[in-house]
Amino acid sequence: FSISVWAWADPTQIPETTINDIIRKWDADTYGYPFAICFSNNNAPAEIARSYMTVRYDGSICRNSPYASSPEVTLSTFHHIVMTKSGSVINMYVDNTLLASYTDNTSCGTTNNADMTFGSRGNIVSFFTGKIDDIRIYNRTIRNSEIGGLFNE
């Protein structure tokens, strides 16, 4: 699968947690989720603060959550974030640059019956303050040339 989104993070994120959700398919329960794209706010540890993250989670029993984060980003400007998964490899791109390629080590289920939410986690917490635009979800891994095309649109 692949997910592409443009996000504009406001510097005044609601600091209820360290992560503000941009896209997530999860009800904030004990079950896993197949994907999330988030923003780490000022309350996050210094090494991931003010950065975008891509992550999967296989629930509270196995507790595997492979993730990647970008370097600190310029706030109040749009950034293009892409998460792709092909087999056991997850890639994270920001602004048409591959920032991370990591192994999906989830061993329990990552599927759930939750709605996909935009700008919050399960419509109840982790609200993202900013702008979200041009969300695209694919049932295949998009190619680098397609990522470049989306970035240059």
Side-chain angles (χ1 to χ4, degrees):
F1 70 84
S2 302
I3 302 168
S4 167
V5 62
W6 285 87
W8 185 96
D10 190 289
T12 58
Q13 296 294 317
I14 299 169
E16 63 193 64
T17 64
T18 59
I19 296 172
N20 302 96
D21 286 6
I22 298 169
I23 300 172
R24 188 180 300 251
K25 187 179 182 320
W26 193 41
D27 277 334
D29 54 21
T30 60
Y31 299 101
Y33 53 81
F35 57 82
I37 296 177
C38 317
F39 178 75
S40 297
N41 62 40
N42 289 327
N43 291 339
E47 64 272 10
I48 62 169
R50 295 165 302 283
S51 69
Y52 291 106
M53 296 177 62
T54 58
V55 63
R56 282 173 58 89
Y57 177 60
D58 64 2
S60 63
I61 294 173
C62 293
R63 298 184 149 307
N64 296 304
S65 56
Y67 79 95
S69 62
S70 71
E72 183 174 332
V73 297
T74 303
L75 303 179
S76 302
T77 188
F78 271 104
H79 294 279
H80 183 226
I81 304 106
V82 176
M83 177 183 191
T84 66
K85 182 175 183 306
S86 179
S88 64
V89 176
I90 301 171
N91 290 319
M92 177 191 192
Y93 299 81
V94 175
D95 295 337
N96 202 28
T97 300
L98 175 63
L99 295 182
S101 185
Y102 56 103
T103 302
D104 179 4
N105 67 346
T106 55
S107 57
C108 293
T110 58
T111 59
N112 61 45
N113 293 322
D115 292 332
M116 187 181 314
T117 54
F118 302 94
S120 70
R121 182 176 304 166
N123 288 323
I124 55 172
V125 295
S126 299
F127 296 98
F128 176 74
T129 304
K131 301 172 187 176
I132 302 170
D133 193 24
D134 198 14
I135 300 165
R136 298 184 188 203
I137 300 169
Y138 301 85
N139 64 356
R140 61 182 177 81
T141 303
I142 59 176
R143 298 181 309 274
N144 290 347
S145 61
E146 292 175 287
I147 294 168
L150 292 170
F151 178 73
N152 291 313
E153 279 186 350

